[in-house]
Amino acid sequence: SNQKNGWKNVCIHQHATGDDLVCPVKALARIYCNIRTHTSDPDCLLSSYWDDKGIHRNVTHRHISNGLKLAATALKYPILRGTDIDKIDTHSLRAGGANALSLAGYSDTQIQKMGRWRGQTFKEYISDQLANTSNGMSKAMSKTFKFVCISGGVLNDITAQTVNSDYN
């Protein structure tokens, strides 16, 4: 299939998190073991599953989209997060991943490589409106710095004059 932004035969490394439920390595192992209980075909895709009648099927884009919408509805996203269910789709995983990595402090280069972004478009998905992105900025901006104004040839230290002036 044409996954990872059109990059075929590319390996994305995931490391174990130790969490039994959401560890990507353990999840992959569960999928693999489930597939091997049904077939030994080495060409069987990781998207394979068997329905209640034992018929082999593959997970589709529509399955994932419907699952995301169902989960968002159950989690009351429209009410609690102001997110319209119609805007949630498989691309939400990509945008959410970029956001999560950014908020966790990963560099743009790391985010780009993990998401297989060919250019800088991933930055469009890093939400500026997230409260975490501005955490601490107000405090940092209110810090008093000793500086010298050099514009217009003025070379006088104006810190005390600026700090003690009335801004009204």
Side-chain angles (χ1 to χ4, degrees):
S1 69
N2 187 9
Q3 299 298 313
K4 299 182 294 288
N5 201 18
W7 294 20
K8 293 184 178 185
N9 302 315
V10 175
C11 182
I12 297 175
H13 296 277
Q14 292 285 339
H15 298 274
T17 65
D19 187 297
D20 287 336
L21 184 61
V22 295
C23 174
V25 175
K26 289 182 180 184
L28 181 59
R30 285 191 301 269
I31 292 167
Y32 178 81
C33 289
N34 182 54
I35 290 171
R36 288 298 163 242
T37 62
H38 291 90
T39 184
S40 60
D41 179 1
D43 294 325
C44 189
L45 301 176
L46 287 173
S47 62
S48 295
Y49 73 96
W50 283 260
D51 67 15
D52 294 338
K53 296 178 182 178
I55 298 172
H56 175 251
R57 303 194 183 277
N58 285 297
V59 175
T60 66
H61 169 273
R62 188 59 26 220
H63 291 130
I64 295 170
S65 177
N66 289 343
L68 288 170
K69 291 176 188 297
L70 183 66
T73 300
L75 293 169
K76 300 179 181 174
Y77 266 50
I79 297 165
L80 300 177
R81 302 191 184 228
T83 304
D84 184 5
I85 296 296
D86 292 335
K87 292 184 178 184
I88 295 174
D89 210 332
T90 55
H91 212 71
S92 302
L93 297 171
R94 203 158 158 76
N99 269 313
L101 290 172
S102 177
L103 291 171
Y106 286 91
S107 72
D108 287 353
T109 300
Q110 290 171 305
I111 296 168
Q112 188 175 7
K113 286 183 178 186
M114 185 59 147
R116 299 294 185 242
W117 298 94
R118 291 183 180 206
Q120 299 294 312
T121 55
F122 73 94
K123 291 181 179 181
E124 294 175 21
Y125 299 102
I126 297 174
S127 298
D128 291 333
Q129 70 272 19
L130 293 173
N132 293 13
T133 61
S134 61
N135 190 18
M137 285 184 178
S138 294
K139 186 175 181 179
M141 289 188 301
S142 67
K143 196 176 198 180
T144 302
F145 293 97
K146 197 165 179 81
F147 64 91
V148 174
C149 180
I150 59 171
S151 65
V154 178
L155 299 175
N156 298 320
D157 183 348
I158 61 169
T159 303
Q161 178 185 354
T162 305
V163 170
N164 296 324
S165 64
D166 184 11
Y167 294 106
N168 293 328

